[in-house]
């Protein structure tokens, strides 16, 4: 018996301003269209989440791919993870600077390598050896982010300090997707440009298995966004899918995960969960989170859902 195809995506959880809503909803709609078109044709959940995330990587609205936040030295560094819930095969890359779509490199790792994770120059070399073109890092840098970096560094010099990890998230746009295909298989993908003015080489939760991304047909598929360090310490993605495996609904598990994130470590962020039966969970403790859902019954877009 065929399953109902489902695609659930997010475009970051943060204090999104009113004038950013339209761009985020447009980006989410485009990503849903790309990923769900594949599911309707019988493609795998892995194909669908990869396609959806790639669209958001190409959209400067989000903190993934071109238009990402800049590191302290003015560069874009990207991380991405892709996981197949049917086989637990996984591909991840981190700290890549010359790949327009790190999610495509993650897929190559999943498909073509006995390993799970590549970083930096080694990840770029692996991607190039398997057919991906390299770009100049400046091709990923846009003026908006250069201005943001200048302002952040001016504040730092003025002694105002870095509040990135000490308060509510106000500038996170990590993207992610979870899907179930017609064969009932789950997949998850997450991609990010990290945090503004981050130390070069810093890796957050997004591309770490069980932290910002996880998928297992026996439990659920999950993608997270927000304050990476607390999410990593709690291995929050695996924590959430384990709750579903133990009998919690994805809706309850998502809410519990975000509550746990804040209660235990004061963390802020958002989560999307998709169970093997097609039930979903969406939660965040930031002012807004861009999200989208598509099933045969239609499409939903939103900026908040708690």
């Amino acid at each position: 018996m065929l399953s109902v195809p489902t695609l659930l995506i997010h475009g970051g959880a943060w204090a999104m301003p009113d004038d950013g809503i339209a761009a985020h909803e447009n980006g989410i709609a485009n990503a849903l269209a790309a990923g769900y078109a594949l599911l309707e044709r019988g493609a795998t959940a892995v194909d669908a989440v990869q396609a959806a995330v790639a669209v958001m990587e190409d959209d400067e609205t989000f903190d993934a791919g071109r238009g990402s936040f800049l590191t302290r030295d003015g560069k874009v560094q990207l991380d991405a993870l892709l996981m197949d819930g049917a086989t637990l095969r996984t591909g991840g890359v981190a700290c890549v600077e010359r790949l327009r779509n790190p999610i495509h490199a993650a897929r190559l790792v999943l498909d073509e390598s006995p390993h799970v994770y590549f970083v930096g120059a080694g990840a770029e070399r692996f991607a190039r050896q398997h057919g991906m073109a390299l770009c100049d890092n400046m091709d990923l840098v846009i003026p908006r982010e250069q201005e943001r970096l200048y302002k952040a560094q001016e504040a730092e010099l003025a002694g105002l300090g870095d509040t990135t990890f000490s308060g509510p998230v106000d500038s996170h746009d990590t993207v992610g997707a979870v899907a179930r295909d017609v064969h009932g298989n789950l997949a998850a993908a997450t991609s990010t440009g990290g945090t503004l003015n981050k130390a070069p080489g810093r890796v957050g939760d997004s591309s770490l298995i069980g932290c910002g991304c996880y998928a297992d047909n026996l439990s659920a598929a999950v993608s997270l966004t927000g304050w990476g360090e607390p999410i990593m310490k709690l291995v929050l993605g695996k924590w959430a899918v384990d709750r579903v495996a133990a009998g919690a609904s994805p809706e309850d598990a998502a809410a519990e995960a975000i509550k746990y994130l804040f209660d235990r470590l004061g963390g802020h962020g958002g989560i999307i969960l998709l169970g093997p039966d097609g039930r979903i969970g969406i939660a965040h403790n930031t002012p807004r989170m861009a999200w989208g859902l598509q099933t045969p019954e239609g499409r939903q877009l939103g900026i908040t859902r708690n």
Side-chain angles (χ1 to χ4, degrees), residues 126-219:
F126 177 85
R128 181 172 52 81
Q129 289 171 341
H130 289 83
M132 281 189 72
L134 300 183
C135 67
D136 188 281
N137 191 256
M138 285 304 297
D139 294 340
L140 306 174
V141 176
I142 64 173
R144 179 193 69 202
E145 297 307 323
Q146 290 177 315
E147 183 64 25
R148 278 182 175 166
L149 180 63
Y150 299 152
K151 289 181 178 178
Q153 293 181 341
E154 286 173 2
E156 191 175 40
L157 289 172
L160 299 180
D162 180 6
T163 60
T164 303
F165 301 119
S166 61
V169 176
D170 63 2
S171 58
H172 282 62
D173 258 330
T174 292
V175 305
V178 292
R180 181 179 72 161
D181 60 33
V182 295
H183 303 293
N185 294 319
L186 302 178
T190 310
S191 181
T192 189
T195 58
L196 176 61
N197 199 29
K198 74 166 188 172
R202 177 262 186 188
V203 177
D205 67 291
S206 299
S207 65
L208 300 184
I209 299 174
C211 296
C213 188
Y214 196 79
D216 184 348
N217 283 6
L218 300 182
S219 52

Side-chain angles (χ1 to χ4, degrees), residues 231-248:
I231 291 171
M232 285 188 281
K233 292 172 186 176
L234 298 174
V235 197
L236 195 58
K238 188 63 163 60
W239 188 97
V241 301
D242 284 348
R243 294 304 180 278
V244 178

Side-chain angles (χ1 to χ4, degrees), residues 25 29 71 87 102 104 123 134 149 156 185 187 206 211 256 297 302 306:
E25 288 186 335
T71 64
T87 63
H104 293 334
L134 300 183
L149 180 63
E156 191 175 40
N185 294 319
S206 299
C211 296
E256 290 169 6
E297 296 179 355
N306 271 324

